[in-house]
Amino acid sequence: MYVKEEDDGSILFTCLYVDDLIFIGNNPIMFEDFKKNMVQKFKIASIGLMTHFLSLEVIQKEEGILVS
């Protein structure tokens, strides 16, 4: 797990699990910078919202996140 914290309170948590890179935080600009850097430095098949993890379905909407 990697944690990046900025002086303004922005935070980005990054976790590598087998072949999945999972990240979460509170600043969309940090997300975009992180994604841009990852695509430039590594061969990445897809960066998008998580839909499946550990045999669980993940649905992300404005109202919240459903895991089933």
Side-chain angles (χ1 to χ4, degrees):
M1 176 169 268
Y2 169 78
V3 179
K4 179 178 181 181
E5 190 170 6
E6 300 286 336
D7 292 335
D8 67 355
S10 297
I11 194 163
L12 177 74
F13 294 97
T14 307
C15 180
L16 179 63
Y17 181 81
V18 186
D19 63 349
D20 290 320
L21 182 64
I22 302 164
F23 56 97
I24 188 169
N26 63 359
N27 185 334
I29 295 169
M30 286 178 80
F31 290 163
E32 293 306 315
D33 289 342
F34 179 75
K35 289 193 303 187
K36 182 177 68 176
N37 286 327
M38 291 296 103
V39 168
Q40 287 175 348
K41 295 180 190 257
F42 303 101
K43 183 178 178 182
I44 296 187
S46 172
I47 293 182
L49 293 177
M50 183 170 33
T51 56
H52 290 88
F53 183 67
L54 296 175
S55 299
L56 299 172
E57 181 179 14
V58 180
I59 301 171
Q60 299 183 48
K61 296 183 177 182
E62 288 283 327
E63 299 83 25
I65 299 171
L66 173 67
V67 178
S68 63

